[in-house]
Amino acid sequence: MTAIAPDRARIRFCALGALYLLLAAPPVRSWLEATMSGHMLVQIPLLAAIGFAACRLLVAHHQERLLAIAGGPIPLVVVALFASSWWMLPRALDDALAHPLVEVAKFVSLPALVGVPLALAWRRLGIIGRGFVWTNFISMLAVLGWLYLAAPQRLCNSYLVDQQESAGWLMVKLALLLFAAWLGHLFVGGPPVGNPRAVHGP
Amino acid sequence: MTSVAHSVAVTALVTVLGSGAFWWGTDGFTAFTAETARRADVLRAPRPLPAAVLEDQDGRVFGIDDYRGRLLAVEFIYTRCTTICNSLGMAFRQIRDRVPADALGRDVALLSISFDPERDDPASLKAYGIAHGADGEHWRLARVRDAAQLRALLEAFGVVVIADRFGGFEHNAAIHLVGRDGRLVEISDLDVPLQFAAKLEEAL
């Protein structure tokens, strides 16, 4: 990846830290968690994105080292899949609101087990690998959104039925939008998506 | 090749750990919502209930503990509710009608608890009871006046009440069975009252 000057990296790192603290601040937390959409589609993705961005600020050879310890990109993608799926469970959302410890686990695991592993793996993923992550994510979003729309009863005890519905709609729309963007990126071009390096070393 | 072996080994490890975490966290892939989890948890380990002072539709003061030695069906309501509480009321009525007349009162009782004590005074509880066919003896309607006691009671039952935009509430509605020992033993869906009644009869 492109090298970032150390002082600029430090500034960006501080900015990410500030965003993280802002998300953790009680007023912002309760504001985002007041609606299902804010919780699922703003807070949770932002937490993962902070981990992703923070990891990309690490010096390249440190990232390589972490990647080597983890055994390459595939285990990292698997970790990110498990952790992100967990926080899509209605039960996990309810638990995070009801138990402070689960809330802490959410704030730690989303950056550490979703953002960071994805960022480490992303450098090494070819176009197929990245395509897998994207399509997997988009289909999960669409299926979950549809489930929220079709569910005859409330899935989260902490949210009203109409919030479940609006979150469902937003998820379906977001999935369509992401899919269109990804396809567009794939066919219309822009900078090459895939890292020209092979997925596996010799 | 060792890097490939390393990758495969770590992938296998995280897959096992991840699946294990999901298994543990969803009660064996059965409970994906907090509501199913609450029901499974109660079945596994009946919950003791905190002491609370209740006031019924005639202003009589009592406690859930007074029902020890009897089976008690409990629902949570608020009297201005026009939606799900009506289904709850219907379900309760069906259950009451199915319980053998000689067991009613002696061995089985029904209790509707309001979580809106501010507005649900004995008079509105009484009106609500009449509207749903409660007799006020074997099926009583009550409120918990003390806010802390109400909170503790709702928490023990696992009932989450949130205000909606129209001045009412949304709440996870179900029928709760409190055993003879005063512990919460089972939570049933309100759309299968006959099953619940059959279970009551079985336990008589």
Side-chain angles (χ1 to χ4, degrees):
Chain A
M1 286 289 121
T2 47
I4 304 168
D7 51 335
R8 275 185 66 189
R10 201 173 308 126
I11 291 169
R12 286 189 197 178
F13 196 79
C14 287
L16 287 172
L19 180 61
Y20 185 77
L21 288 179
L22 186 73
L23 285 177
V28 178
R29 217 160 46 85
S30 43
W31 173 60
L32 284 177
E33 288 171 356
T35 62
M36 205 166 176
S37 311
H39 196 177
M40 283 200 81
L41 299 174
V42 181
Q43 190 199 57
I44 287 177
L46 271 180
L47 285 172
I50 286 173
F52 191 95
C55 181
R56 305 264 308 234
L57 291 178
L58 283 179
V59 187
H61 68 90
H62 285 162
Q63 290 191 49
E64 286 300 328
R65 236 185 96 66
L66 286 173
L67 197 61
I69 292 169
I74 294 170
L76 290 167
V77 168
V78 173
V79 167
L81 277 182
F82 271 113
S84 58
S85 315
W86 178 268
W87 294 112
M88 289 196 182
L89 294 180
R91 186 178 172 176
L93 294 185
D94 266 339
D95 283 347
L97 293 175
H99 310 289
L101 259 180
V102 181
E103 180 76 352
V104 171
K106 187 180 78 183
F107 268 79
V108 173
S109 67
L110 280 166
L113 296 181
V114 181
V116 169
L118 266 188
L120 287 176
W122 205 248
R123 301 148 45 84
R124 284 289 190 81
L125 288 177
I127 194 159
I128 305 276
R130 290 180 181 192
F132 169 78
V133 172
W134 270 122
T135 44
N136 185 70
F137 175 68
I138 291 170
S139 55
M140 214 146 73
L141 199 64
V143 166
L144 210 72
W146 172 76
L147 211 69
Y148 276 17
L149 281 176
Q153 76 267 24
R154 275 191 317 152
L155 293 172
C156 279
N157 283 342
S158 316
Y159 292 112
L160 300 172
V161 159
D162 53 345
Q163 290 200 358
Q164 179 170 312
E165 214 176 285
S166 72
W169 270 120
L170 271 174
M171 280 193 251
V172 170
K173 282 183 202 162
L174 198 65
L176 287 174
L177 209 73
L178 281 175
F179 187 64
W182 177 66
L183 269 189
H185 196 64
L186 212 57
F187 288 119
V188 182
V193 198
N195 195 318
R197 258 186 298 174
V199 176
H200 294 293
Chain B
M1 269 302 120
T2 53
S3 72
V4 174
H6 184 188
S7 176
V8 169
V10 180
T11 306
L13 182 71
V14 295
T15 306
V16 168
L17 286 179
S19 310
F22 264 81
W23 170 269
W24 168 79
T26 60
D27 294 301
F29 302 121
T30 56
F32 294 96
T33 64
E35 186 59 17
T36 40
R38 163 175 93 114
R39 297 178 184 195
D41 186 52
V42 163
L43 271 187
R44 208 169 30 232
R47 288 187 196 169
L49 298 171
V53 179
L54 292 121
E55 181 191 27
D56 78 358
Q57 74 286 337
D58 298 318
R60 289 176 291 181
V61 170
F62 66 104
I64 290 187
D65 253 9
D66 299 354
Y67 285 96
R68 274 201 192 210
R70 283 185 275 178
L71 297 168
L72 180 66
V74 177
E75 59 164 8
F76 287 88
I77 52 133
Y78 67 105
T79 60
R80 289 169 301 125
C81 180
T82 50
T83 53
I84 197 132
C85 305
N86 280 333
S87 324
L88 269 173
M90 294 261 273
F92 246 41
R93 191 178 195 150
Q94 277 177 290
I95 292 167
R96 198 261 321 268
D97 292 345
R98 277 292 291 268
V99 174
D102 60 325
L104 204 60
R106 181 175 53 80
D107 206 21
V108 178
L110 295 93
L111 179 61
S112 303
I113 301 177
S114 162
F115 45 73
D116 188 13
E118 297 286 312
R119 293 202 182 86
D120 291 346
D121 54 3
S124 22
L125 288 173
K126 192 160 198 148
Y128 181 88
I130 290 168
H132 286 88
D135 61 355
E137 278 307 320
H138 307 321
W139 173 1
R140 290 162 94 183
L141 304 107
R143 63 170 169 173
V144 183
R145 295 192 77 157
D146 185 86
Q149 285 182 358
L150 175 61
R151 207 164 36 240
L153 196 65
L154 290 174
E155 187 163 334
F157 273 95
V159 173
V160 181
V161 178
I162 40 176
D164 66 19
R165 284 172 301 154
F166 315 106
F169 300 97
E170 234 169 72
H171 52 112
N172 44 337
I175 301 168
H176 308 79
L177 179 62
V178 177
R180 291 190 174 87
D181 58 357
R183 291 189 302 171
L184 174 62
V185 287
E186 195 170 342
I187 302 172
S188 292
D189 254 338
L190 61 132
D191 51 3
V192 286
L194 296 184
Q195 267 179 37
F196 187 87
K199 236 174 277 165
L200 274 182
E201 281 181 80
E202 238 169 69
L204 285 179

